[in-house]
Amino acid sequence: MNQNSSFSEWVASIEHGDCGFTYVRFYADAPSWVRNEAINRFGKGTVFLPPRQNRSLNSAAA
């Protein structure tokens, strides 16, 4: 799997704020490399928000 395409799978939300800050929220079970990738993409103005729930690969069918 391509790392660039899998990066977006771990991102719960991205918001571009004032003064050049980018607010990134990952899913709680995101691997550590996604933080490094976010800093590489968005620079030192990257702010990490508290994680959301775990990413679910498959929706649980009842």
Side-chain angles (χ1 to χ4, degrees):
M1 180 180 282
N2 182 327
Q3 184 167 325
N4 286 335
S5 65
S6 62
F7 170 79
S8 61
E9 295 174 11
W10 294 108
V11 176
S13 66
I14 296 176
E15 297 176 28
H16 299 285
D18 295 335
C19 302
F21 289 103
T22 301
Y23 298 92
V24 180
R25 185 186 311 267
F26 295 120
Y27 290 107
D29 56 345
S32 59
W33 64 264
V34 294
R35 284 179 75 91
N36 294 334
E37 181 65 22
I39 293 169
N40 288 339
R41 288 182 184 211
F42 306 118
K44 292 184 178 182
T46 305
V47 177
F48 296 101
L49 300 174
R52 290 243 170 105
Q53 72 282 356
N54 288 349
R55 178 180 70 142
S56 70
L57 295 174
N58 298 325
S59 296

